[in-house]
Amino acid sequence: MSNIDIGKWNEFRIEELFDIYTGGDLILRDIEIGDKLVISHGGKNNGFGAYVDTIGDRKLFDKDKTLSLSDRGIFISYVQPSDFYIGTRVKALELKEKYKSNKYVLLFLSTIINYESFRFSYGRNATNKLPELIIKLPTTEVNGELEPDLIFMENYMKEIEKDQRELLSNLKSPFISKNSKKIIDTTGWKYFCLDEVFDEIYKGKAHIKQKIETSNFKNEENINFVTRTEKNNGVDCYVSNNSIIKKEAGNSIIIGDTTATIFYQEDDFATGDHIIVCRSKKLNKYNALFLKTILDKERYKYSYGRAFKMESLKNTNILLPAILVNKYYEPDWEYMENFIKEYTLFK
């Protein structure tokens, strides 16, 4: 990819390019789950918040014309995969009607806008300054006026996409077997309530991090301290394995009940607040990874205040491979284990 010559680029204010919309509070627990995307304020996962049903009094933004933008505390724009609503502390930048837009144009614009994020760090919110924010763009002359060169933007991003596809096509992942294109037949799978899948589902003993001895380093005397964090398999730090700490045995799946963070814990651990522990005599690290993947598919149901509370968790139904045992269907633990062994290097 050749370097871009920006010497002839020109400046544009955001308000010259976009119509700007400001999001408002959404009480999602009062809205039915559906297939419409809600973008929340955040710097991860494309700003994903939840999937909801149609909201009659809210504007649904066209994904091919509109960027989402978190503008307070963090400044980052995203191109969205589907039409979307915006929540609080989020803006929608809808490209003005005179411009012909598509995802490639938006990807270019999003990249340029995100280069300006340094201006809004350390509490400098962009809320009131956004319309006047200046970005530099490639230009072309239209009827004697300089306009953003959308064709250049589109072609440039397509070229990048082509280069990346060619690069990826030459890579062979060591985590996927040669049979990875095999389609999984789910016709024989059955729905199981989680209370049927696990022998035990209970709240872990909540330890307050500030009141216990913690360490950032693992050693033989420490055990994992598991919280609702998304990072590091849920391990926030390490704690001293002493009489003050209630230790949970490893080989269990843990779920953050207000965040729906889901991880398999192979080793012994202690828990912070709002951690649910799920156990089964048939659980091992292979079928646990299979179950975690299935459970992750349910996370969208439990965002924005729809907590993964104990009763709702126990009554959650998930689709699993099944086997008939004494006239009753049970989860096919052996299938789940063998699937993970076949398709990964965890052997």
Side-chain angles (χ1 to χ4, degrees):
M1 193 79 197
S2 59
N3 292 329
I4 303 178
D5 179 11
I6 64 172
K8 295 182 180 180
W9 287 21
N10 286 276
E11 296 181 344
F12 297 88
R13 297 191 310 278
I14 291 293
E15 65 182 356
E16 294 180 272
L17 304 169
F18 299 97
D19 292 322
I20 304 171
Y21 297 84
T22 301
D25 291 336
L26 284 176
I27 304 176
L28 293 186
R29 63 176 175 269
D30 297 332
I31 304 172
E32 293 294 325
I33 295 171
D35 60 357
K36 304 294 189 301
L37 185 59
V38 173
I39 302 304
S40 63
H41 175 268
K44 296 180 181 179
N45 200 23
N46 230 55
F48 169 78
Y51 283 108
V52 300
D53 203 354
T54 300
I55 307 175
D57 59 348
R58 291 290 181 117
K59 181 177 175 64
L60 183 67
F61 292 97
D62 185 339
K63 66 181 177 62
D64 291 322
K65 296 173 56 179
T66 316
L67 295 172
S68 66
L69 175 72
S70 296
D71 68 343
R72 275 180 282 176
I74 184 172
F75 185 87
I76 187 168
S77 66
Y78 293 113
V79 179
Q80 296 302 336
S82 61
D83 296 348
F84 61 95
Y85 297 110
I86 55 174
T88 185
R89 295 196 294 173
V90 181
K91 281 186 166 54
L93 304 182
E94 186 178 67
L95 206 58
K96 288 187 178 292
E97 194 65 34
K98 66 179 179 178
Y99 299 124
K100 293 183 179 180
S101 179
N102 56 47
K103 73 171 184 177
Y104 298 104
V105 171
L106 291 179
L107 283 168
F108 192 100
L109 289 169
S110 176
T111 303
I112 298 298
I113 289 171
N114 289 342
Y115 269 114
E116 303 300 318
S117 62
F118 74 94
R119 301 182 186 279
F120 304 104
S121 57
Y122 297 101
R124 300 187 193 100
N125 294 330
T127 307
N128 298 322
K129 301 173 184 177
L130 180 62
E132 297 295 325
L133 177 66
I134 292 174
I135 59 175
K136 293 188 73 172
L137 295 174
T139 54
T140 185
E141 189 171 317
V142 178
N143 298 325
E145 298 288 338
L146 289 177
E147 294 283 358
D149 191 344
L150 304 186
I151 295 176
F152 173 90
M153 298 182 205
E154 178 177 351
N155 290 337
Y156 186 83
M157 297 311 294
K158 283 182 175 178
E159 188 176 346
I160 288 180
E161 182 181 66
K162 179 184 175 183
D163 290 345
Q164 292 302 309
R165 287 187 184 278
E166 289 176 355
L167 176 64
L168 291 172
S169 69
N170 294 323
L171 296 178
K172 293 183 179 179
S173 171
F175 296 99
I176 306 297
S177 79
K178 63 182 179 180
N179 298 318
S180 62
K181 292 184 179 179
K182 175 183 176 184
I183 298 175
I184 301 174
D185 182 9
T186 62
T187 54
W189 291 25
K190 304 293 180 183
Y191 279 99
F192 294 95
C193 184
L194 285 190
D195 214 10
E196 301 173 292
V197 176
F198 296 106
D199 300 324
E200 296 180 89
I201 301 177
Y202 64 91
K203 273 283 189 71
K205 166 66 176 176
H207 297 89
I208 300 174
K209 182 178 177 181
Q210 291 76 10
K211 294 185 178 182
I212 58 177
E213 182 182 347
T214 65
S215 171
N216 291 325
F217 303 98
K218 179 74 170 175
N219 60 44
E220 294 181 358
E221 298 179 356
N222 290 345
I223 60 174
N224 295 338
F225 185 65
V226 176
T227 68
R228 290 166 288 172
T229 178
E230 292 265 8
K231 302 177 181 178
N232 198 27
N233 204 54
V235 178
D236 183 272
C237 60
Y238 306 99
V239 296
S240 177
N241 183 15
N242 55 41
S243 58
I244 300 175
I245 301 296
K246 182 183 185 303
K247 181 174 69 175
E248 299 285 354
N251 191 39
S252 63
I253 288 176
I254 62 104
I255 300 174
D257 68 359
T258 58
T259 55
T261 44
I262 302 164
F263 296 107
Y264 171 69
Q265 300 298 325
E266 185 173 9
D267 300 324
D268 293 347
F269 61 97
T271 63
D273 200 10
H274 295 283
I275 298 295
I276 294 174
V277 182
C278 305
R279 301 187 183 281
S280 170
K281 295 182 180 67
K282 298 180 180 180
L283 195 70
N284 59 43
K285 68 178 180 179
Y286 306 109
N287 54 40
L289 289 172
F290 190 103
L291 281 171
K292 170 187 159 43
T293 303
I294 300 296
L295 286 168
D296 278 336
K297 299 294 185 181
E298 302 297 312
R299 288 189 64 182
Y300 75 95
K301 297 180 180 178
Y302 298 98
S303 56
Y304 277 97
R306 301 189 188 98
F308 231 149
K309 297 297 185 182
M310 186 71 70
E311 288 308 310
S312 61
L313 176 62
K314 289 182 176 181
N315 293 321
T316 295
N317 288 302
I318 57 174
L319 189 64
L320 292 175
I323 188 171
L324 197 59
V325 178
N326 297 327
K327 299 182 180 180
Y328 294 96
Y329 282 104
E330 296 182 359
D332 192 340
W333 294 91
E334 185 177 359
Y335 173 93
M336 292 187 270
E337 177 178 347
N338 290 337
F339 182 92
I340 295 297
K341 284 182 175 179
E342 180 182 359
Y343 284 86
T344 72
L345 292 181
F346 299 115
K347 298 180 180 179

